[in-house]
């Protein structure tokens, strides 16, 4: 798709460009790792699979931007870059969507039954499941879509089954009763990680526990009176003198008169409430543990919908909150209550839905992950896996050293059904890779598959290798596993990353990736969480419609740093759209001045002007810096530096400077300038491509280039022979002087077209400045006839504005235009600015860490700079003296 250069439209139209380029890349197979050849070193990312129910939000936009940046950079450095895409079946989220649809149709999940429900859910998935991946494409994601996977597809389901059976055979998966977090509304167990603790205004209820065989009573306090019906003990502290006498006696559960023991346990906090604690092992985790220590009975008083069951006696059938009121009223009537008081405490609520979670005893499937967790700890400790930023290693250590059994069963229908069959005759459980037809113990054909499905993190924990074909030793698994980079949000470090590492090490014997890069959350411009209720959501689709994908990507990528949350504002996005336009305009200037030439490759080394040597030196320093920042995962800073260079040094300075040659008479100089203009832009487009793929590719197609497409062009390499510190110094001086003159012109409101006289006291820079006389005249709009450049001016002109930079002083004798007071104020402001810079420099040089650790030439440069700043200050202060 070679475009003729003169065809470059006046403005960049992202709307007609993005989709066209994306399809063109895709059709050419450039998203596939095979284009790098069989010997290329792989670079692999497995996408964090978005939920099939997902609608694109800024979190997606950020991770797609980051991963696409990593993949495009890897591709351009010659790696076999593979980005494996896919989606997650998202158990609860998807099931709720379809349940809602059924309710709208006047029916329900239970009414239609499991089989029909699953058929409807698959239908829903076929219809809407592709939405989120379409939106990822819109962001420019260069995934290999031929390798797209779904956690419930056939291959991945087989991987899940294999993993389950292996852990079961190793004794790591078992059934057990355990106090789980029960979500009465969702009717399923939820993991600890899906439970949030929120503060709640509650009531503390004081009541008395009658003791059998006497009138003695034990005062007790609770926030959940209805659980009294499930008490199986009252506990006091063994050293509490108030209650010691009661230990070993029998108490009677209020209203039920069930007999329970009074026990002593050091867990009891003597200062809380009355100092005596009711023990409900069936509905409280701490009580459960005390119950285990004392061999207490466990009484479950709740049905799965959080109404009370038959163990609650006369309260059976009541909702938990109604039961609380009724029981308390009855106890009051019976004279068993003491008082109530307001009380603030934290309660567990479901992350999804926000309802109150009930701790409940239940039979579930568990995975004992202590050994996998130990392996995961070791992999990070010995550096086989690196976490960026490093501060998350501490969190990783803490969680994995305190790992709890993982409750892997969920009472849902949408998901990987647990491959276990219960025998109706002997009770044996058969777990098998192939669906059995008979009990493996007694041979009975009366077997029923376990109704539960697996926690959705069980299948996503296998993601990096199941997507490559595991458990089969496929060519993809051999070539692309372990993967290279796991890029995801720090908020799912445990949910997901830890599980992938545990399962990867356990099932493949290898760490599933080498580096974990954690990004933060995207917040609004004031740092608030984006939420519908605040009305501060910035919808990525709307932003892309209005400003283009590149503007959104560049804003997210340059605004973020590893592990930190970022604030997103529309103003920044708009500014970055202007950046795309700025590059477009720079390219149009170049294309409009090529006059048929098509320079490619590195520009010549000979006969280069000072600005030529300067821009090439600065370009190569930029490439060096960007490479260093990429190596340290500091992509945002790299993007900002390319932006500064391209906008400032290239577009604002070099292009301006190039007009001297381009509009001049020297044909060879014109050619050289075109070549350098083309080369510098080409190299910047390459470095910017991973950030803003669309506008860079489109521009690249318009400027002279070798090769078919920017997406598969080579990443720039540093050419050290272009480093030219002297040219950089000299240009810095020129730029400072010209900036100073422009400021004075603006301040004195000199008409832009009017040339002004300039006299320069140039010292050692006299020769250089004389050599750049034409350039100086043009950029400062100096009057050539009145321009004086001397090593030492005989006398400084009176009534002149003064500029000082790096030992050079320029006087602008603006006769009749100078207002002495205004000039004094201007100089005072300049001096103030210099004082600030001098202080900063002195501080830096006073820091031993800097002077001892920085390279000698950097320290020397800083010393020189400080000297020059002090000299400038002296010149301006002296000048101020003459004005007063
Ligand atoms: Zn059997």
């Amino acid at each position: 798709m070679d475009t003729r250069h003169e065809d470059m439209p006046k403005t960049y139209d992202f709307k007609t460009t993005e989709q066209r380029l994306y399809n063109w890349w895709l059709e050419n197979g450039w998203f596939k790792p095979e284009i790098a050849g069989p010997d290329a070193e792989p670079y692999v990312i497995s996408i964090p699979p978005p939920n099939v129910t997902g609608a694109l939000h800024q979190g997606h936009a950020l991770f797609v931007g980051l991963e696409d940046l990593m993949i495009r950079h890897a591709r351009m450095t010659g790696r076999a870059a593979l980005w494996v895409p896919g989606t997650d079946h998202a158990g609860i989220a998807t099931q709720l969507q379809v349940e809602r649809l059924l309710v709208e149709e006047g029916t329900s999940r239970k009414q239609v039954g499991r089989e029909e429900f699953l058929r409807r859910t698959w239908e829903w998935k076929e219809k809407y499941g592709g939405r989120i991946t379409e939106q990822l494409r819109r962001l420019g994601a260069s995934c290999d879509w031929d390798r797209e996977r779904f956690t419930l597809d056939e291959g991945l389901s087989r991987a899940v089954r294999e993993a389950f059976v292996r852990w079961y055979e190793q004794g790591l998966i078992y059934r057990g009763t355990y106090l789980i977090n029960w979500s009465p509304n969702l009717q399923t167990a939820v993991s600890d990680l899906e439970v949030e603790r929120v503060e709640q205004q509650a009531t503390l209820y004081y009541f008395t526990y009658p003791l059998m065989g006497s009138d003695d009573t034990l005062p007790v306090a609770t926030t959940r009176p209805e659980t009294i019906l499930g008490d199986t003990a009252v506990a006091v502290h063994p050293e509490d003198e108030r209650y010691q006498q009661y230990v070993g006696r029998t108490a009677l559960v209020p209203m039920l008169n069930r007999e329970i023991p009074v026990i002593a346990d050091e867990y009891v906090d003597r200062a809380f409430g009355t100092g005596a604690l009711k023990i409900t092992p069936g509905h409280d985790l701490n009580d459960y543990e005390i119950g285990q220590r004392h061999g207490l009975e466990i009484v479950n008083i709740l049905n799965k919908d959080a109404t009370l069951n038959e163990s609650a006696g006369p309260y059976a059938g009541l909702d938990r909150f109604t039961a609380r009121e009724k029981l308390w009223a009855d106890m009051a009537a019976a004279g068993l209550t003491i008082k109530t008081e307001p009380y603030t405490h934290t309660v567990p609520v479901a992350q999804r839905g926000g309802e109150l979670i009930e701790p409940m005893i239940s039979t579930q499937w568990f995975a004992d992950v202590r050994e996998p967790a130990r392996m995961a700890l070791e992999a990070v400790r010995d550096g086989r896996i690196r976490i960026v930023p490093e501060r998350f290693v501490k969190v990783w250590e803490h969680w994995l050293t305190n790992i709890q059994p993982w409750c892997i069963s969920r009472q849902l229908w949408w998901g990987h059904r647990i491959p276990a069959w219960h025998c109706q005759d002997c009770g044996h459980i058969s777990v098998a890779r192939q669906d059995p037809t008979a009990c493996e113990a007694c041979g009975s054909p009366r077997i029923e598959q376990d109704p539960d499905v697996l926690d959705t993190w069980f299948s996503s924990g296998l993601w990096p290798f199941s997507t490559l074909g595991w458990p089969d030793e496929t060519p993809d698994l051999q070539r692309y596993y372990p993967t290279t980079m796991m890029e995801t949000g720090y908020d799912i470090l445990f949910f997901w990353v830890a599980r992938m590492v545990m399962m990867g090490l356990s099932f493949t014997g290898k760490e599933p990736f080498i580096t974990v890069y954690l990004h933060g959350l995207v917040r609004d411009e004031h740092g608030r969480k984006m939420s519908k209720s605040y009305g501060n959501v910035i919808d990525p689709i709307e932003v892309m419609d209005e400003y283009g994908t590149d503007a959104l990507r560049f804003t997210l990528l340059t605004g973020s740093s590893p592990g930190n949350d970022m604030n997103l504002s529309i103003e920044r996005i708009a500014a970055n759209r202007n950046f795309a336009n700025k590059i477009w305009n720079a390219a149009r200037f170049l294309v409009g001045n090529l006059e048929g030439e098509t320079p490619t490759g590195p520009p010549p080394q000979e006969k280069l002007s000072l600005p030529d040597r300067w821009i090439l030196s600065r370009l190569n320093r930029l490439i060096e810096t960007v490479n260093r920042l990429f190596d340290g995962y500091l992509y945002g800073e790299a993007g900002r530096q390319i932006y500064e260079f391209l906008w400032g040094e290239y577009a604002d300075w070099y292009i301006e400077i190039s007009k001297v040659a381009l509009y001049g008479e020297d044909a060879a100089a014109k050619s050289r300038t075109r070549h350098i203009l083309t080369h510098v832009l080409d190299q910047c487009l390459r470095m910017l491509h991973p950030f803003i793929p669309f506008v860079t590719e489109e521009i690249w197609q318009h400027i002279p280039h070798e090769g078919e497409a920017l997406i598969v062009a080579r990443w720039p390499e540093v050419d050290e022979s272009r480093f030219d510190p002297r040219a950089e110094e000299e240009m810095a001086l020129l730029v400072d002087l010209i900036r100073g003159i422009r400021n004075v012109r603006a301040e004195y409101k000199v008409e832009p077209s009017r040339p002004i006289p300039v006299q320069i006291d140039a010292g050692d820079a006299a020769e250089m400045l004389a050599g750049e006389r034409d350039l100086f005249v043009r950029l400062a709009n100096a009057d050539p006839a009145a321009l004086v450049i001397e090593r030492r001016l005989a006398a400084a002109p009176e009534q002149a504005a003064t500029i000082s930079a790096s030992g050079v002083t320029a006087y602008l004798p603006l006769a009749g235009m100078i207002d002495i007071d205004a000039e004094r104020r201007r100089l005072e402001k300049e001096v103030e600015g210099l004082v600030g810079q001098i202080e900063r420099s002195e501080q830096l040089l006073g820091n031993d860490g800097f002077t001892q650790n920085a390279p000698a030439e950097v320290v020397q440069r800083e010393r020189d700079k400080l000297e020059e700043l002090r000299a400038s200050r002296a010149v301006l202060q002296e000048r101020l003296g003459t004005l007063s």
Side-chain angles (χ1 to χ4, degrees), residues 422-428 430 438-444 446-447:
H422 301 261
C423 177
Q424 305 300 296
D425 290 323
C426 77
H428 178 80
S430 313
C439 169
E440 64 183 1
C442 75
S444 162
R446 300 204 321 125
I447 52 172

Side-chain angles (χ1 to χ4, degrees), residues 693-760:
F694 294 110
V695 70
T696 50
E697 180 76 86
E698 184 66 359
I699 292 173
W700 201 74
Q701 294 299 330
H702 281 97
I703 67 170
H705 62 267
E706 278 170 347
E708 208 174 345
L710 182 57
I711 186 177
V712 286
R714 293 298 296 215
W715 186 257
E717 276 170 27
V718 178
D719 178 357
E720 288 184 13
S721 75
R722 302 287 185 175
F723 285 161
D724 192 335
R726 180 145 171 221
E728 289 189 38
E729 243 168 67
E730 292 178 349
M731 268 304 287
L733 171 60
L734 261 174
V735 165
D736 278 352
L737 286 175
I738 291 162
R739 270 211 192 106
I741 293 170
R742 287 178 178 172
N743 287 346
V744 170
R745 293 183 69 104
E747 216 140 330
Y748 289 104
K749 302 194 171 61
V750 180
E751 280 169 57
S753 59
R754 180 176 160 188
I756 53 167
V758 180
Q759 296 181 24
I760 304 178

Side-chain angles (χ1 to χ4, degrees), residues 19 105 121 126 205 243 253 297 486 536 673-674 807 880:
Q19 186 71 50
E105 290 171 16
T121 313
E126 295 310 324
Y205 299 82
Y243 304 129
V253 174
E297 197 191 341
M486 172 46 60
N536 63 347
T673 306
R674 285 181 192 129
L880 262 172

Side-chain angles (χ1 to χ4, degrees), residues 25 90 143-144 166 192 270 274 422 467 505 649 739 786 798:
W25 292 327
C143 302
D144 184 355
R166 276 199 204 174
D192 284 344
R270 278 172 279 185
T274 64
H422 301 261
T467 51
L505 288 167
E649 285 159 295
R739 270 211 192 106
E798 283 175 23

Side-chain angles (χ1 to χ4, degrees), residues 180-184 190 195 224 320 348-350 355-359:
I180 47 120
N181 304 299
W182 183 259
S183 163
V190 291
V195 175
R224 297 191 295 158
R320 52 183 158 162
V349 299
E355 56 153 347
L356 206 58
I357 288 294
E358 287 293 340

